[in-house]
Amino acid sequence: MFVRITLADTQLRIEVHDSGDAPPHRRQAPATAETGRGLLLVAALADDWGVEERRSPGNCVWAAFQHSTAPAC
């Protein structure tokens, strides 16, 4: 698993790559569960997000966050 973070113009993009066999999906976790809410949180917080299949085995889950100004260099 690895993480890639990019900042371009007014968008911050975070990608998490894994080697899983099946694409991840949002699920409804029981109130007492300690896991199973990752994609629900991503969907609630990100401006946009998605899942892409990688060329090698695995998936890439990405989330994009917009901000109002370009970073100063």
Side-chain angles (χ1 to χ4, degrees), residues 14-39:
I14 301 170
E15 299 176 358
V16 176
H17 297 250
D18 68 23
S19 58
D21 293 334
H25 62 280
R26 282 189 284 181
R27 53 185 164 155
Q28 194 66 33
T32 57
E34 294 183 11
T35 63
R37 295 181 183 85
L39 289 181

Side-chain angles (χ1 to χ4, degrees), residues 4 7 12 14 16-17 20 23-24 28 30-31 36 43-48 51-52 57 60 70 73:
R4 177 183 297 151
L7 178 62
L12 172 71
I14 301 170
V16 176
H17 297 250
Q28 194 66 33
L45 297 172
D47 293 310
D48 195 14
V51 177
E52 299 172 359
C60 169
C73 295

Side-chain angles (χ1 to χ4, degrees), residues 40-68:
L40 290 173
L41 290 169
V42 169
L45 297 172
D47 293 310
D48 195 14
W49 72 280
V51 177
E52 299 172 359
E53 200 173 298
R54 292 176 24 174
R55 280 181 249 176
S56 58
N59 303 288
C60 169
V61 177
W62 59 269
F65 303 87
Q66 302 298 323
H67 58 93
S68 60

